[in-house]
Amino acid sequence: MLNIFESITKRLVEAWTSGEPSGRRSAFRCRCGRPVFFYNSLCLGCSAPLGFVTDLQQIRALTPGPQPDTWTVDDDDAPETIWKRCENFESPAGCNWMTPADEDESLCRSCRLNNTIPDLGDKDNCRWWRKIENAKRRLVTQLLSLGLPVASKVSEDPEHGVMFDFMRSPEKGPRVLTGHANGHITLNVEEADDSIREKTRQEMREPYRTLLGHVRHEIGHYYWDRLVADTPWQAKFRELFGDEREDYAAALRRNYDQGPPPNWADQYITSYASVHPWEDWAESWAHYLHVVDSLDTALRFGLRGEDVEQAVEPFTVDDLYDPDDPDAKRVVLLVNSWVQLTTVVNELARSMGQHDFYPFVMSRPVLRKIHFIQLIVKETRGGTSLIG
């Protein structure tokens, strides 16, 4: 199976600049032919039960299996596996993922990453946890599609795995801080409250703040530990991002006291990325995931580059970290397609009086960092060529 980057670049070559009419490609569909979406567990057209099958990276209609509470996937291309729903299907998280029925594990690949969940006796916590789990499932889906290691620190790999604590600040403090430490990601569940998150965004003068952005950023710190630290990539990282041995606490204090450098946009994707090389990596990593996932969605709905007027000068292979990489042309195609896409969706957002969909400018130094990340992801998968 092609990973998500291979799949997108292949479809970009075949469709983004083709003459095919828009809309011929489809998103997920039920057996009745109606469109269904990532979070659905029931088709609103024919009432078929639906589940997300990680082996296929697809939402599929389900058929009752040979035993109670088991299911088969209604798809000729699916492996002959008997499935069960994740234990959190009936919980406030409303998880629609499937797991093999013959496994002792009752939780799906995403939910088993949880170490701590908020007190579900509180209605706000229930609502917030569901929003957070929706964001985490989208994150985990993408990580699996990219071929990255995703193992639970709780139950599968205590040394190298990852786990999540979703916690709420006590009424009298201290405030729970979102962050990462040695595969342990903590998220303040109050970030799932739109009014609280928007207030924080304005106070921090951030152009973008979402739950999905949080988990993509924090998982970036985890993968720096897994894929960069103590590897041959670390010296190259320091040449491109800076020396991570710089005092992190001092860097944070400097940022809060003095703010970002005035020319930060020339080198960084966000002002926060200028704080420290670790934050530059995590912000660049999150934006790499933003680009890949958004283009995948656009292609599934049949959007084409021919539908969008190019408003900026396109990047070339010479702008990449490694212009001689065999996949350089495809990477440039992906990024230039992203620029085309964000041009139109930003205008759509403005036409509705909303914030820009993508309120960032990708400079050439940032593109070099994103290409660097793609090279590491490719090597982690096993060096599989993205060509062909």
Side-chain angles (χ1 to χ4, degrees):
M1 179 186 297
L2 294 176
N3 76 7
I4 190 170
F5 185 85
E6 293 170 332
S7 175
I8 290 172
T9 53
K10 184 173 185 292
R11 282 179 287 158
L12 283 170
V13 170
E14 294 174 348
W16 191 257
T17 58
S18 74
E20 295 183 13
S22 296
R24 289 189 56 183
R25 286 157 189 78
S26 63
F28 306 136
R29 291 191 177 274
C30 177
R31 65 164 70 102
C32 68
R34 291 179 173 85
V36 292
F37 301 94
F38 183 70
Y39 302 130
N40 291 161
S41 59
L42 184 74
C43 175
L44 298 181
C46 69
S47 298
L50 305 171
F52 182 80
V53 182
T54 54
D55 289 16
L56 299 174
Q57 296 288 294
Q58 293 281 327
I59 292 289
R60 285 289 183 254
L62 306 175
T63 299
Q67 302 295 329
D69 299 321
T70 65
W71 305 88
T72 59
V73 175
D74 192 15
D75 192 302
D76 293 337
D77 297 325
E80 295 181 3
T81 302
I82 306 300
W83 301 91
K84 60 185 177 183
R85 286 197 180 276
C86 174
E87 186 179 278
N88 276 333
F89 176 68
E90 300 289 351
S91 78
C95 181
N96 65 343
W97 281 29
M98 311 300 293
T99 190
D102 59 1
E103 286 188 359
D104 293 334
E105 178 63 72
S106 60
L107 297 173
C108 70
R109 295 285 301 273
S110 179
C111 289
R112 70 186 64 168
L113 302 180
N114 292 345
N115 183 55
T116 303
I117 63 173
D119 176 12
L120 299 183
D122 184 288
K123 291 183 179 179
D124 285 339
N125 287 347
C126 292
R127 186 176 70 255
W128 293 344
W129 184 44
R130 187 183 188 96
K131 290 183 177 181
I132 291 167
E133 289 295 336
N134 283 342
K136 179 162 68 69
R137 285 195 290 272
R138 184 172 288 277
L139 168 72
V140 174
T141 299
Q142 187 177 20
L143 300 177
L144 293 172
S145 296
L146 286 167
L148 292 167
V150 185
S152 171
K153 194 177 185 69
V154 180
S155 59
E156 296 171 327
D157 188 347
E159 184 176 358
H160 300 297
V162 63
M163 64 183 183
F164 291 83
D165 280 354
F166 300 130
M167 304 173 67
R168 186 173 181 178
S169 301
E171 191 170 323
K172 296 183 179 180
R175 185 173 183 273
V176 171
L177 298 178
T178 294
H180 166 268
N182 192 31
H184 188 170
I185 293 173
T186 301
L187 180 65
N188 187 331
V189 299
E190 294 173 6
E191 285 284 345
D193 184 297
D194 293 341
S195 62
I196 293 174
R197 192 177 61 256
E198 177 62 16
K199 181 175 183 292
T200 305
R201 188 189 70 80
Q202 292 189 27
E203 290 175 347
M204 300 291 287
R205 298 181 180 179
E206 297 171 336
Y208 173 91
R209 190 180 183 94
T210 66
L211 290 173
L212 187 55
H214 277 316
V215 292
R216 282 175 171 165
H217 174 100
E218 298 304 336
I219 205 73
H221 287 300
Y222 166 71
Y223 283 116
W224 191 91
D225 289 347
R226 286 294 307 270
L227 308 180
V228 179
D230 302 321
T231 74
W233 288 108
Q234 190 162 9
K236 298 177 181 179
F237 167 88
R238 289 171 180 165
E239 293 174 358
L240 186 60
F241 290 84
D243 193 333
E244 82 288 350
R245 292 170 294 189
E246 175 190 357
D247 188 304
Y248 182 76
L252 283 178
R253 286 195 301 271
R254 182 177 63 249
N255 178 70
Y256 292 135
D257 292 343
Q258 303 176 14
N263 61 340
W264 65 263
D266 295 338
Q267 300 292 325
Y268 305 98
I269 190 65
T270 66
S271 61
Y272 189 63
S274 68
V275 170
H276 188 275
W278 280 336
E279 298 304 340
D280 191 9
W281 163 272
E283 288 287 85
S284 298
W285 177 278
H287 281 74
Y288 170 76
L289 297 186
H290 290 336
V291 170
V292 172
D293 195 20
S294 298
L295 271 176
D296 180 52
T297 299
L299 286 165
R300 284 193 288 106
F301 279 89
L303 295 180
R304 300 177 304 144
E306 295 298 317
D307 297 330
V308 183
E309 181 179 354
Q310 181 65 276
V312 298
E313 179 184 351
F315 293 111
T316 70
V317 293
D318 291 331
D319 298 317
L320 299 178
Y321 175 77
D322 182 4
D324 296 324
D325 178 66
D327 305 317
K329 290 183 179 180
R330 289 201 171 197
V331 172
V332 169
L333 174 61
L334 184 147
V335 175
N336 284 335
S337 298
W338 168 252
V339 173
Q340 289 179 295
L341 176 65
T342 56
T343 297
V344 67
V345 293
N346 278 349
E347 286 299 321
L348 285 171
R350 293 164 191 163
S351 71
M352 289 293 293
Q354 298 293 328
H355 298 297
D356 281 1
F357 166 83
Y358 186 74
F360 306 98
V361 176
M362 188 183 296
S363 66
R364 282 169 171 78
V366 169
L367 174 58
R368 285 170 54 81
K369 295 170 185 176
I370 289 178
H371 187 219
F372 181 84
I373 289 170
Q374 164 57 23
L375 293 174
I376 293 177
V377 170
K378 176 184 172 182
E379 180 184 85
T380 302
R381 183 174 168 83
T384 304
S385 173
L386 303 183
I387 298 177

